[in-house]
Amino acid sequence: MARPTRFTRLTAVTAILATGLLAAACGGTDSAGSAPSADGGEKPKIGLVQINQQAIFFNEMNAGAQQAAEEAGVDLTIFNANDDSVKQNEAIDNFVQQQFDGVIVVAIDVEGIKPAVKIAKDAGLKVVAVDAIVDSPAVDTQVGVDNAEAAKQMGTFVNEWAKEQNVAVPNIGVVGALNSFIQNLRKDGFNSTVEAAGAKIVQTVDGQNKQEAALAAAENLLTSRSDLTAVYATGEPALLGTVAAVKSQNANDRVKVFGWDLTKEAIDGIDAGFVAGVVQQDPRTEGYEAVKEIKALVGGAQAKKTIDVPVTIVTKENVDKYRSTFK
């Protein structure tokens, strides 16, 4: 039996459940295409294919997208793939069948999603990719962070930290998500930068982009490598798991943690002193800009091709301005 998929009709505030097919929202959209707008015109129908709705990062992106949709008069549907790349492909196909005007994709598998994206483009939909880079001529505009470059920035930050702490050869463990294209970019860009400065990547463990798996992987890393100087976590679940592992293993006095994507737990770690730096993206802006761009594209505007959203490395010096978001 097929696992039910979930998505949210934000403009109608209606939850719709399906088993592999996207059902039209009752009263929200006519069957011919766009939904009626308040002024009697038609709202563009836009689908956002999301990775999951567990991570704060993706929920913030959804909130930005919803804000832009309300401001721009867009009928926005968010599909939650629950970390299943196959479901993402199915969602795009279903948006095509329902005659949507455009699709925004936060890809799990940047290669595997290309056939579905091409189908959407060939059917006349505008296509915007967010966060993960989908290198395809079918994508009109890419919105998000240069993950490889940001990873190098974090590597440089760690190199400077090691120099300040007089650590000549840091032994670094990595908690990654080896099934994630984006997090592998973050891993590789970081590793090459710190290794060029003399650090050693002594072990990499796979947190599978799930907090429970990342916790177990990080605990095993901390137990097996008593020589660790630092741990680098490549995403929100990895960082959450690493912070929890450092606490459970009473390792806060012997390792420093660096990673991606703030949470309340990461901020608590910064306050406690064992989390030294976190790459913070701006997912709300990513979602907002993606909807604005696709609305413009549907209206006939020329594609911007790339919309860059910068990152910040959060430390004890600048963490205060982020506290209200992660209470």
PDB file of all heavy atoms in Angstrom, residues 85-120:
ATOM      1  N   SER A  85      12.863  11.153  -1.974  1.00  0.00           N
ATOM      2  CA  SER A  85      13.098  11.783  -3.273  1.00  0.00           C
ATOM      3  C   SER A  85      12.106  11.314  -4.322  1.00  0.00           C
ATOM      4  O   SER A  85      11.748  12.055  -5.240  1.00  0.00           O
ATOM      5  CB  SER A  85      14.537  11.512  -3.742  1.00  0.00           C
ATOM      6  OG  SER A  85      14.782  10.122  -3.868  1.00  0.00           O
ATOM      7  N   VAL A  86      11.645  10.076  -4.232  1.00  0.00           N
ATOM      8  CA  VAL A  86      10.660   9.566  -5.188  1.00  0.00           C
ATOM      9  C   VAL A  86       9.360  10.355  -5.079  1.00  0.00           C
ATOM     10  O   VAL A  86       8.726  10.692  -6.087  1.00  0.00           O
ATOM     11  CB  VAL A  86      10.404   8.065  -4.955  1.00  0.00           C
ATOM     12  CG1 VAL A  86       9.262   7.562  -5.835  1.00  0.00           C
ATOM     13  CG2 VAL A  86      11.668   7.257  -5.226  1.00  0.00           C
ATOM     14  N   LYS A  87       8.952  10.667  -3.857  1.00  0.00           N
ATOM     15  CA  LYS A  87       7.739  11.444  -3.653  1.00  0.00           C
ATOM     16  C   LYS A  87       7.880  12.849  -4.227  1.00  0.00           C
ATOM     17  O   LYS A  87       6.884  13.440  -4.677  1.00  0.00           O
ATOM     18  CB  LYS A  87       7.387  11.512  -2.164  1.00  0.00           C
ATOM     19  CG  LYS A  87       7.018  10.169  -1.546  1.00  0.00           C
ATOM     20  CD  LYS A  87       5.791   9.572  -2.208  1.00  0.00           C
ATOM     21  CE  LYS A  87       5.398   8.259  -1.544  1.00  0.00           C
ATOM     22  NZ  LYS A  87       4.282   7.597  -2.260  1.00  0.00           N
ATOM     23  N   GLN A  88       9.091  13.395  -4.218  1.00  0.00           N
ATOM     24  CA  GLN A  88       9.290  14.706  -4.833  1.00  0.00           C
ATOM     25  C   GLN A  88       9.015  14.647  -6.329  1.00  0.00           C
ATOM     26  O   GLN A  88       8.357  15.528  -6.889  1.00  0.00           O
ATOM     27  CB  GLN A  88      10.713  15.200  -4.571  1.00  0.00           C
ATOM     28  CG  GLN A  88      10.976  15.617  -3.136  1.00  0.00           C
ATOM     29  CD  GLN A  88      12.218  16.465  -3.002  1.00  0.00           C
ATOM     30  OE1 GLN A  88      13.247  16.214  -3.635  1.00  0.00           O
ATOM     31  NE2 GLN A  88      12.142  17.495  -2.172  1.00  0.00           N
ATOM     32  N   ASN A  89       9.522  13.619  -6.981  1.00  0.00           N
ATOM     33  CA  ASN A  89       9.263  13.456  -8.421  1.00  0.00           C
ATOM     34  C   ASN A  89       7.776  13.305  -8.704  1.00  0.00           C
ATOM     35  O   ASN A  89       7.242  13.891  -9.656  1.00  0.00           O
ATOM     36  CB  ASN A  89      10.021  12.242  -8.959  1.00  0.00           C
ATOM     37  CG  ASN A  89      11.518  12.433  -8.944  1.00  0.00           C
ATOM     38  OD1 ASN A  89      12.004  13.545  -8.847  1.00  0.00           O
ATOM     39  ND2 ASN A  89      12.255  11.341  -9.036  1.00  0.00           N
ATOM     40  N   GLU A  90       7.099  12.516  -7.893  1.00  0.00           N
ATOM     41  CA  GLU A  90       5.659  12.310  -8.073  1.00  0.00           C
ATOM     42  C   GLU A  90       4.908  13.625  -7.900  1.00  0.00           C
ATOM     43  O   GLU A  90       3.947  13.913  -8.630  1.00  0.00           O
ATOM     44  CB  GLU A  90       5.152  11.272  -7.073  1.00  0.00           C
ATOM     45  CG  GLU A  90       5.658   9.860  -7.332  1.00  0.00           C
ATOM     46  CD  GLU A  90       5.223   8.876  -6.258  1.00  0.00           C
ATOM     47  OE1 GLU A  90       4.604   9.338  -5.257  1.00  0.00           O
ATOM     48  OE2 GLU A  90       5.490   7.679  -6.399  1.00  0.00           O
ATOM     49  N   ALA A  91       5.326  14.422  -6.938  1.00  0.00           N
ATOM     50  CA  ALA A  91       4.649  15.700  -6.683  1.00  0.00           C
ATOM     51  C   ALA A  91       4.768  16.627  -7.885  1.00  0.00           C
ATOM     52  O   ALA A  91       3.792  17.277  -8.281  1.00  0.00           O
ATOM     53  CB  ALA A  91       5.240  16.367  -5.441  1.00  0.00           C
ATOM     54  N   ILE A  92       5.969  16.689  -8.478  1.00  0.00           N
ATOM     55  CA  ILE A  92       6.151  17.537  -9.657  1.00  0.00           C
ATOM     56  C   ILE A  92       5.258  17.059 -10.798  1.00  0.00           C
ATOM     57  O   ILE A  92       4.591  17.860 -11.470  1.00  0.00           O
ATOM     58  CB  ILE A  92       7.633  17.560 -10.088  1.00  0.00           C
ATOM     59  CG1 ILE A  92       8.485  18.233  -9.010  1.00  0.00           C
ATOM     60  CG2 ILE A  92       7.798  18.297 -11.415  1.00  0.00           C
ATOM     61  CD1 ILE A  92       9.981  18.104  -9.242  1.00  0.00           C
ATOM     62  N   ASP A  93       5.226  15.756 -11.028  1.00  0.00           N
ATOM     63  CA  ASP A  93       4.357  15.202 -12.077  1.00  0.00           C
ATOM     64  C   ASP A  93       2.896  15.579 -11.836  1.00  0.00           C
ATOM     65  O   ASP A  93       2.161  15.931 -12.771  1.00  0.00           O
ATOM     66  CB  ASP A  93       4.496  13.676 -12.124  1.00  0.00           C
ATOM     67  CG  ASP A  93       5.824  13.223 -12.710  1.00  0.00           C
ATOM     68  OD1 ASP A  93       6.475  14.046 -13.387  1.00  0.00           O
ATOM     69  OD2 ASP A  93       6.207  12.058 -12.491  1.00  0.00           O
ATOM     70  N   ASN A  94       2.479  15.519 -10.571  1.00  0.00           N
ATOM     71  CA  ASN A  94       1.096  15.832 -10.249  1.00  0.00           C
ATOM     72  C   ASN A  94       0.785  17.315 -10.409  1.00  0.00           C
ATOM     73  O   ASN A  94      -0.317  17.693 -10.819  1.00  0.00           O
ATOM     74  CB  ASN A  94       0.763  15.360  -8.838  1.00  0.00           C
ATOM     75  CG  ASN A  94       0.687  13.850  -8.740  1.00  0.00           C
ATOM     76  OD1 ASN A  94       0.214  13.182  -9.651  1.00  0.00           O
ATOM     77  ND2 ASN A  94       1.181  13.303  -7.649  1.00  0.00           N
ATOM     78  N   PHE A  95       1.746  18.171 -10.094  1.00  0.00           N
ATOM     79  CA  PHE A  95       1.560  19.601 -10.335  1.00  0.00           C
ATOM     80  C   PHE A  95       1.383  19.865 -11.837  1.00  0.00           C
ATOM     81  O   PHE A  95       0.598  20.727 -12.236  1.00  0.00           O
ATOM     82  CB  PHE A  95       2.738  20.403  -9.784  1.00  0.00           C
ATOM     83  CG  PHE A  95       2.757  20.538  -8.286  1.00  0.00           C
ATOM     84  CD1 PHE A  95       3.954  20.439  -7.582  1.00  0.00           C
ATOM     85  CD2 PHE A  95       1.600  20.780  -7.577  1.00  0.00           C
ATOM     86  CE1 PHE A  95       3.978  20.571  -6.205  1.00  0.00           C
ATOM     87  CE2 PHE A  95       1.611  20.911  -6.191  1.00  0.00           C
ATOM     88  CZ  PHE A  95       2.805  20.805  -5.501  1.00  0.00           C
ATOM     89  N   VAL A  96       2.134  19.141 -12.650  1.00  0.00           N
ATOM     90  CA  VAL A  96       1.991  19.279 -14.109  1.00  0.00           C
ATOM     91  C   VAL A  96       0.585  18.862 -14.535  1.00  0.00           C
ATOM     92  O   VAL A  96      -0.090  19.562 -15.300  1.00  0.00           O
ATOM     93  CB  VAL A  96       3.058  18.439 -14.845  1.00  0.00           C
ATOM     94  CG1 VAL A  96       2.772  18.402 -16.349  1.00  0.00           C
ATOM     95  CG2 VAL A  96       4.456  19.001 -14.585  1.00  0.00           C
ATOM     96  N   GLN A  97       0.129  17.706 -14.036  1.00  0.00           N
ATOM     97  CA  GLN A  97      -1.185  17.203 -14.413  1.00  0.00           C
ATOM     98  C   GLN A  97      -2.294  18.156 -13.984  1.00  0.00           C
ATOM     99  O   GLN A  97      -3.326  18.260 -14.661  1.00  0.00           O
ATOM    100  CB  GLN A  97      -1.403  15.825 -13.785  1.00  0.00           C
ATOM    101  CG  GLN A  97      -0.499  14.735 -14.359  1.00  0.00           C
ATOM    102  CD  GLN A  97      -0.527  13.465 -13.538  1.00  0.00           C
ATOM    103  OE1 GLN A  97      -1.457  13.241 -12.759  1.00  0.00           O
ATOM    104  NE2 GLN A  97       0.484  12.627 -13.704  1.00  0.00           N
ATOM    105  N   GLN A  98      -2.097  18.850 -12.876  1.00  0.00           N
ATOM    106  CA  GLN A  98      -3.105  19.786 -12.382  1.00  0.00           C
ATOM    107  C   GLN A  98      -2.962  21.178 -12.992  1.00  0.00           C
ATOM    108  O   GLN A  98      -3.637  22.108 -12.565  1.00  0.00           O
ATOM    109  CB  GLN A  98      -3.046  19.865 -10.860  1.00  0.00           C
ATOM    110  CG  GLN A  98      -3.495  18.579 -10.194  1.00  0.00           C
ATOM    111  CD  GLN A  98      -3.729  18.747  -8.709  1.00  0.00           C
ATOM    112  OE1 GLN A  98      -3.530  19.814  -8.146  1.00  0.00           O
ATOM    113  NE2 GLN A  98      -4.157  17.689  -8.059  1.00  0.00           N
ATOM    114  N   GLN A  99      -2.098  21.293 -13.998  1.00  0.00           N
ATOM    115  CA  GLN A  99      -1.937  22.529 -14.761  1.00  0.00           C
ATOM    116  C   GLN A  99      -1.510  23.701 -13.886  1.00  0.00           C
ATOM    117  O   GLN A  99      -2.018  24.819 -13.998  1.00  0.00           O
ATOM    118  CB  GLN A  99      -3.233  22.860 -15.514  1.00  0.00           C
ATOM    119  CG  GLN A  99      -3.631  21.779 -16.497  1.00  0.00           C
ATOM    120  CD  GLN A  99      -4.918  22.092 -17.225  1.00  0.00           C
ATOM    121  OE1 GLN A  99      -5.443  23.184 -17.153  1.00  0.00           O
ATOM    122  NE2 GLN A  99      -5.440  21.111 -17.948  1.00  0.00           N
ATOM    123  N   PHE A 100      -0.557  23.434 -13.008  1.00  0.00           N
ATOM    124  CA  PHE A 100       0.046  24.512 -12.239  1.00  0.00           C
ATOM    125  C   PHE A 100       0.855  25.409 -13.172  1.00  0.00           C
ATOM    126  O   PHE A 100       1.256  25.004 -14.271  1.00  0.00           O
ATOM    127  CB  PHE A 100       0.938  23.951 -11.127  1.00  0.00           C
ATOM    128  CG  PHE A 100       0.206  23.640  -9.855  1.00  0.00           C
ATOM    129  CD1 PHE A 100      -0.919  22.821  -9.853  1.00  0.00           C
ATOM    130  CD2 PHE A 100       0.644  24.163  -8.654  1.00  0.00           C
ATOM    131  CE1 PHE A 100      -1.592  22.537  -8.682  1.00  0.00           C
ATOM    132  CE2 PHE A 100      -0.022  23.887  -7.469  1.00  0.00           C
ATOM    133  CZ  PHE A 100      -1.153  23.071  -7.475  1.00  0.00           C
ATOM    134  N   ASP A 101       1.117  26.631 -12.726  1.00  0.00           N
ATOM    135  CA  ASP A 101       1.878  27.588 -13.525  1.00  0.00           C
ATOM    136  C   ASP A 101       3.380  27.510 -13.262  1.00  0.00           C
ATOM    137  O   ASP A 101       4.181  27.911 -14.109  1.00  0.00           O
ATOM    138  CB  ASP A 101       1.390  29.010 -13.247  1.00  0.00           C
ATOM    139  CG  ASP A 101      -0.067  29.176 -13.600  1.00  0.00           C
ATOM    140  OD1 ASP A 101      -0.385  29.095 -14.797  1.00  0.00           O
ATOM    141  OD2 ASP A 101      -0.891  29.379 -12.684  1.00  0.00           O
ATOM    142  N   GLY A 102       3.752  27.027 -12.092  1.00  0.00           N
ATOM    143  CA  GLY A 102       5.171  26.951 -11.766  1.00  0.00           C
ATOM    144  C   GLY A 102       5.426  26.040 -10.590  1.00  0.00           C
ATOM    145  O   GLY A 102       4.508  25.712  -9.821  1.00  0.00           O
ATOM    146  N   VAL A 103       6.678  25.621 -10.444  1.00  0.00           N
ATOM    147  CA  VAL A 103       7.060  24.740  -9.344  1.00  0.00           C
ATOM    148  C   VAL A 103       8.396  25.206  -8.766  1.00  0.00           C
ATOM    149  O   VAL A 103       9.321  25.571  -9.491  1.00  0.00           O
ATOM    150  CB  VAL A 103       7.135  23.266  -9.806  1.00  0.00           C
ATOM    151  CG1 VAL A 103       8.167  23.073 -10.901  1.00  0.00           C
ATOM    152  CG2 VAL A 103       7.420  22.339  -8.629  1.00  0.00           C
ATOM    153  N   ILE A 104       8.444  25.218  -7.443  1.00  0.00           N
ATOM    154  CA  ILE A 104       9.665  25.514  -6.700  1.00  0.00           C
ATOM    155  C   ILE A 104      10.131  24.205  -6.071  1.00  0.00           C
ATOM    156  O   ILE A 104       9.348  23.511  -5.416  1.00  0.00           O
ATOM    157  CB  ILE A 104       9.408  26.563  -5.602  1.00  0.00           C
ATOM    158  CG1 ILE A 104       8.899  27.870  -6.221  1.00  0.00           C
ATOM    159  CG2 ILE A 104      10.668  26.815  -4.783  1.00  0.00           C
ATOM    160  CD1 ILE A 104       8.323  28.849  -5.209  1.00  0.00           C
ATOM    161  N   VAL A 105      11.402  23.865  -6.273  1.00  0.00           N
ATOM    162  CA  VAL A 105      11.916  22.568  -5.842  1.00  0.00           C
ATOM    163  C   VAL A 105      13.060  22.735  -4.850  1.00  0.00           C
ATOM    164  O   VAL A 105      14.028  23.453  -5.122  1.00  0.00           O
ATOM    165  CB  VAL A 105      12.427  21.753  -7.057  1.00  0.00           C
ATOM    166  CG1 VAL A 105      12.973  20.417  -6.606  1.00  0.00           C
ATOM    167  CG2 VAL A 105      11.321  21.556  -8.071  1.00  0.00           C
ATOM    168  N   VAL A 106      12.931  22.088  -3.693  1.00  0.00           N
ATOM    169  CA  VAL A 106      14.039  21.956  -2.742  1.00  0.00           C
ATOM    170  C   VAL A 106      14.466  20.494  -2.825  1.00  0.00           C
ATOM    171  O   VAL A 106      13.937  19.641  -2.123  1.00  0.00           O
ATOM    172  CB  VAL A 106      13.605  22.333  -1.307  1.00  0.00           C
ATOM    173  CG1 VAL A 106      14.822  22.444  -0.393  1.00  0.00           C
ATOM    174  CG2 VAL A 106      12.815  23.632  -1.298  1.00  0.00           C
ATOM    175  N   ALA A 107      15.413  20.203  -3.687  1.00  0.00           N
ATOM    176  CA  ALA A 107      15.666  18.820  -4.085  1.00  0.00           C
ATOM    177  C   ALA A 107      16.424  18.023  -3.035  1.00  0.00           C
ATOM    178  O   ALA A 107      17.364  18.520  -2.406  1.00  0.00           O
ATOM    179  CB  ALA A 107      16.452  18.800  -5.391  1.00  0.00           C
ATOM    180  N   ILE A 108      16.017  16.775  -2.883  1.00  0.00           N
ATOM    181  CA  ILE A 108      16.788  15.808  -2.094  1.00  0.00           C
ATOM    182  C   ILE A 108      17.883  15.205  -2.968  1.00  0.00           C
ATOM    183  O   ILE A 108      19.053  15.170  -2.582  1.00  0.00           O
ATOM    184  CB  ILE A 108      15.869  14.699  -1.557  1.00  0.00           C
ATOM    185  CG1 ILE A 108      14.816  15.278  -0.611  1.00  0.00           C
ATOM    186  CG2 ILE A 108      16.699  13.618  -0.845  1.00  0.00           C
ATOM    187  CD1 ILE A 108      13.722  14.295  -0.242  1.00  0.00           C
ATOM    188  N   ASP A 109      17.491  14.744  -4.135  1.00  0.00           N
ATOM    189  CA  ASP A 109      18.403  14.110  -5.100  1.00  0.00           C
ATOM    190  C   ASP A 109      18.474  15.011  -6.332  1.00  0.00           C
ATOM    191  O   ASP A 109      17.569  15.016  -7.161  1.00  0.00           O
ATOM    192  CB  ASP A 109      17.880  12.726  -5.463  1.00  0.00           C
ATOM    193  CG  ASP A 109      18.767  11.976  -6.450  1.00  0.00           C
ATOM    194  OD1 ASP A 109      19.710  12.593  -6.993  1.00  0.00           O
ATOM    195  OD2 ASP A 109      18.509  10.786  -6.687  1.00  0.00           O
ATOM    196  N   VAL A 110      19.553  15.762  -6.457  1.00  0.00           N
ATOM    197  CA  VAL A 110      19.634  16.775  -7.521  1.00  0.00           C
ATOM    198  C   VAL A 110      19.756  16.152  -8.911  1.00  0.00           C
ATOM    199  O   VAL A 110      19.433  16.799  -9.901  1.00  0.00           O
ATOM    200  CB  VAL A 110      20.804  17.755  -7.278  1.00  0.00           C
ATOM    201  CG1 VAL A 110      20.570  18.562  -6.021  1.00  0.00           C
ATOM    202  CG2 VAL A 110      22.142  17.022  -7.217  1.00  0.00           C
ATOM    203  N   GLU A 111      20.217  14.929  -8.990  1.00  0.00           N
ATOM    204  CA  GLU A 111      20.269  14.242 -10.283  1.00  0.00           C
ATOM    205  C   GLU A 111      18.936  13.541 -10.573  1.00  0.00           C
ATOM    206  O   GLU A 111      18.402  13.620 -11.677  1.00  0.00           O
ATOM    207  CB  GLU A 111      21.419  13.227 -10.306  1.00  0.00           C
ATOM    208  CG  GLU A 111      22.801  13.868 -10.279  1.00  0.00           C
ATOM    209  CD  GLU A 111      23.065  14.760 -11.477  1.00  0.00           C
ATOM    210  OE1 GLU A 111      22.616  14.407 -12.587  1.00  0.00           O
ATOM    211  OE2 GLU A 111      23.698  15.818 -11.307  1.00  0.00           O
ATOM    212  N   GLY A 112      18.421  12.859  -9.580  1.00  0.00           N
ATOM    213  CA  GLY A 112      17.204  12.088  -9.767  1.00  0.00           C
ATOM    214  C   GLY A 112      15.974  12.927 -10.060  1.00  0.00           C
ATOM    215  O   GLY A 112      14.998  12.437 -10.633  1.00  0.00           O
ATOM    216  N   ILE A 113      16.017  14.197  -9.677  1.00  0.00           N
ATOM    217  CA  ILE A 113      14.842  15.041  -9.880  1.00  0.00           C
ATOM    218  C   ILE A 113      14.808  15.667 -11.278  1.00  0.00           C
ATOM    219  O   ILE A 113      13.790  16.213 -11.698  1.00  0.00           O
ATOM    220  CB  ILE A 113      14.783  16.141  -8.797  1.00  0.00           C
ATOM    221  CG1 ILE A 113      13.325  16.565  -8.562  1.00  0.00           C
ATOM    222  CG2 ILE A 113      15.646  17.358  -9.164  1.00  0.00           C
ATOM    223  CD1 ILE A 113      13.109  17.306  -7.279  1.00  0.00           C
ATOM    224  N   LYS A 114      15.908  15.564 -12.008  1.00  0.00           N
ATOM    225  CA  LYS A 114      15.999  16.249 -13.304  1.00  0.00           C
ATOM    226  C   LYS A 114      14.936  15.808 -14.319  1.00  0.00           C
ATOM    227  O   LYS A 114      14.375  16.664 -15.019  1.00  0.00           O
ATOM    228  CB  LYS A 114      17.405  16.075 -13.883  1.00  0.00           C
ATOM    229  CG  LYS A 114      18.462  16.916 -13.181  1.00  0.00           C
ATOM    230  CD  LYS A 114      19.831  16.716 -13.820  1.00  0.00           C
ATOM    231  CE  LYS A 114      20.884  17.578 -13.121  1.00  0.00           C
ATOM    232  NZ  LYS A 114      22.222  17.392 -13.720  1.00  0.00           N
ATOM    233  N   PRO A 115      14.621  14.521 -14.454  1.00  0.00           N
ATOM    234  CA  PRO A 115      13.582  14.150 -15.423  1.00  0.00           C
ATOM    235  C   PRO A 115      12.231  14.790 -15.117  1.00  0.00           C
ATOM    236  O   PRO A 115      11.543  15.262 -16.031  1.00  0.00           O
ATOM    237  CB  PRO A 115      13.527  12.623 -15.302  1.00  0.00           C
ATOM    238  CG  PRO A 115      14.892  12.234 -14.826  1.00  0.00           C
ATOM    239  CD  PRO A 115      15.299  13.327 -13.887  1.00  0.00           C
ATOM    240  N   ALA A 116      11.862  14.840 -13.844  1.00  0.00           N
ATOM    241  CA  ALA A 116      10.583  15.447 -13.480  1.00  0.00           C
ATOM    242  C   ALA A 116      10.597  16.938 -13.730  1.00  0.00           C
ATOM    243  O   ALA A 116       9.597  17.521 -14.183  1.00  0.00           O
ATOM    244  CB  ALA A 116      10.260  15.156 -12.017  1.00  0.00           C
ATOM    245  N   VAL A 117      11.721  17.575 -13.449  1.00  0.00           N
ATOM    246  CA  VAL A 117      11.856  19.007 -13.695  1.00  0.00           C
ATOM    247  C   VAL A 117      11.741  19.304 -15.190  1.00  0.00           C
ATOM    248  O   VAL A 117      11.104  20.287 -15.601  1.00  0.00           O
ATOM    249  CB  VAL A 117      13.193  19.527 -13.124  1.00  0.00           C
ATOM    250  CG1 VAL A 117      13.517  20.918 -13.646  1.00  0.00           C
ATOM    251  CG2 VAL A 117      13.145  19.544 -11.603  1.00  0.00           C
ATOM    252  N   LYS A 118      12.342  18.447 -16.011  1.00  0.00           N
ATOM    253  CA  LYS A 118      12.256  18.636 -17.465  1.00  0.00           C
ATOM    254  C   LYS A 118      10.817  18.481 -17.960  1.00  0.00           C
ATOM    255  O   LYS A 118      10.349  19.237 -18.831  1.00  0.00           O
ATOM    256  CB  LYS A 118      13.167  17.653 -18.188  1.00  0.00           C
ATOM    257  CG  LYS A 118      13.214  17.875 -19.710  1.00  0.00           C
ATOM    258  CD  LYS A 118      14.147  16.910 -20.393  1.00  0.00           C
ATOM    259  CE  LYS A 118      14.299  17.236 -21.880  1.00  0.00           C
ATOM    260  NZ  LYS A 118      12.999  17.204 -22.593  1.00  0.00           N
ATOM    261  N   ILE A 119      10.114  17.514 -17.399  1.00  0.00           N
ATOM    262  CA  ILE A 119       8.713  17.326 -17.761  1.00  0.00           C
ATOM    263  C   ILE A 119       7.918  18.595 -17.447  1.00  0.00           C
ATOM    264  O   ILE A 119       7.091  19.056 -18.237  1.00  0.00           O
ATOM    265  CB  ILE A 119       8.115  16.110 -17.026  1.00  0.00           C
ATOM    266  CG1 ILE A 119       8.698  14.812 -17.601  1.00  0.00           C
ATOM    267  CG2 ILE A 119       6.591  16.099 -17.121  1.00  0.00           C
ATOM    268  CD1 ILE A 119       8.355  13.578 -16.799  1.00  0.00           C
ATOM    269  N   ALA A 120       8.183  19.168 -16.266  1.00  0.00           N
ATOM    270  CA  ALA A 120       7.490  20.397 -15.872  1.00  0.00           C
ATOM    271  C   ALA A 120       7.798  21.532 -16.838  1.00  0.00           C
ATOM    272  O   ALA A 120       6.900  22.255 -17.284  1.00  0.00           O
ATOM    273  CB  ALA A 120       7.881  20.776 -14.451  1.00  0.00           C
TER     274      ALA A 120
END
